[in-house]
């Protein structure tokens, strides 16, 4: 029953609809960027991602504020950052729930991948909860590409630069599938390969196959 083609078709359509509802905000320029999301309408539900591409010796600062001011609202925010070279990324995230609300769900997830020994990433998530009938949380993951991961891929005959690209692609895969071709070209350029097509399957940062 589970393997029936009709069931796979339903699953594919469901996933496509979910992707269509999800938005990705691309942060590519250094400096400070502020994003505010207000759940002010009863029943509002949404999910979005913020993708930061930080390179050079630049500093990037993101302030993300998510405010729930109506009941029966649900939100999920994912912040992902690739931090290369000597760049620095600071992320401040706040989830706030107003008084006297019910059935509110909200989650903030921050993930920063540091590429290079001098790249820096910092995150400060916060919660301000003034209601009881809510489910709210956050998580932070900051890490570097480990030598063991590179060596594992090199042992399979994969060159170092391509190995790094595969790990970066895996980290960004979900967001890349939702970006426009123009934004994919922007990411390629920021990651150091200007002029490549967004559909270039041979680029190390966008290759799907592991071998």
């Amino acid at each position: 029953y589970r393997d029936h083609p009709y069931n796979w078709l339903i699953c594919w359509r469901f996933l496509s609809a979910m992707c269509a509802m999800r938005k990705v905000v691309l942060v590519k320029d250094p400096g400070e960027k502020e994003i505010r999301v207000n759940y002010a309408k009863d029943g509002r539900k949404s999910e979005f991602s913020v993708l930061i591409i930080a390179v050079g010796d630049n500093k990037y600062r993101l302030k993300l504020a998510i405010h729930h001011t109506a009941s029966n609202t649900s939100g999920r925010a994912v912040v992902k950052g690739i931090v290369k070279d000597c760049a620095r990324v600071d992320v401040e995230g706040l989830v706030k729930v107003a008084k006297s609300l019910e059935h509110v769900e909200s989650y903030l997830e921050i993930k920063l991948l540091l590429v290079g020994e001098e790249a820096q990433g910092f995150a400060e998530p916060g919660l301000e909860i003034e209601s009881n009938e809510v489910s709210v949380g956050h998580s932070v993951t900051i890490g570097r590409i480990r030598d063991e991961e590179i060596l594992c891929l090199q042992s399979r005959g994969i060159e170092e630069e391509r190995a790094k690209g595969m790990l970066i692609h895996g980290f960004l895969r979900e967001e890349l599938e939702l970006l426009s071709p123009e934004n994919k070209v922007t990411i390629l350029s920021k990651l150091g390969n200007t002029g490549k097509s967004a559909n270039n399957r041979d680029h190390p940062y966008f290759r799907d196959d592991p071998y």
Side-chain angles (χ1 to χ4, degrees):
Y1 174 78
R2 288 178 301 173
D3 295 329
H4 194 282
Y6 184 67
N7 294 329
W8 285 109
L9 179 61
I10 293 174
C11 181
W12 182 83
R13 286 178 175 173
F14 174 76
L15 291 174
S16 297
M18 289 297 292
C19 287
M21 290 187 292
R22 183 175 175 185
K23 295 182 178 180
V24 179
V25 178
L26 180 60
V27 177
K28 62 184 186 301
D29 297 321
E32 183 172 305
K33 184 174 183 64
E34 225 176 298
I35 298 175
R36 294 179 177 272
V37 180
N38 189 16
Y39 292 84
K41 184 178 180 180
D42 191 299
R44 182 187 175 188
K45 304 179 188 300
S46 72
E47 181 176 343
F48 67 94
S49 295
V50 181
L51 183 56
I52 305 170
I53 306 298
V55 297
D57 60 351
N58 297 304
K59 295 182 179 179
Y60 301 71
R61 188 178 190 87
L62 172 66
K63 292 185 176 182
L64 175 60
I66 301 170
H67 291 178
H68 290 263
T69 56
S71 295
N72 304 303
T73 53
S74 175
R76 181 179 181 85
V78 179
V79 178
K80 284 188 180 181
I82 294 291
V83 192
K84 287 192 66 182
D85 309 320
C86 302
R88 171 176 173 144
V89 169
D90 291 88
V91 179
E92 293 181 22
L94 174 65
V95 179
K96 186 175 182 179
V97 180
K99 294 180 180 179
S100 305
L101 301 185
E102 295 181 327
H103 311 300
V104 172
E105 296 182 1
S106 194
Y107 195 79
L108 170 62
E109 184 176 9
I110 303 172
K111 295 183 176 182
L112 301 179
L113 181 62
L114 311 181
V115 184
E117 293 301 318
E118 297 185 66
Q120 300 180 70
F122 303 90
E124 293 184 25
L127 303 175
E128 291 185 14
I129 313 300
E130 300 182 41
S131 296
N132 294 324
E133 299 295 323
V134 301
S135 176
V136 181
H138 60 67
S139 65
V140 174
T141 305
I142 301 176
R144 300 182 188 276
I145 293 180
R146 300 194 304 271
D147 292 338
E148 295 81 359
E149 295 174 305
I150 300 295
L151 291 173
C152 179
L153 292 172
Q154 286 181 314
S155 69
R156 302 178 186 180
I158 299 171
E159 296 179 356
E160 180 178 356
E161 187 63 20
R162 185 183 164 199
K164 288 181 180 179
M166 289 169 60
L167 294 170
I168 291 173
H169 178 273
F171 180 76
L172 299 178
R173 179 187 294 272
E174 192 173 346
E175 283 68 31
L176 289 175
E177 291 175 353
L178 302 176
L179 286 174
S180 66
E182 292 79 10
N183 279 332
K184 289 182 181 179
V185 169
T186 298
I187 293 175
L188 281 171
S189 176
K190 297 288 284 186
L191 292 175
N193 202 330
T194 309
K196 292 289 185 180
S197 167
N199 296 316
N200 186 351
R201 310 304 291 177
D202 293 327
H203 189 280
Y205 292 153
F206 285 84
R207 191 163 178 130
D208 290 328
D209 61 296
Y211 301 106

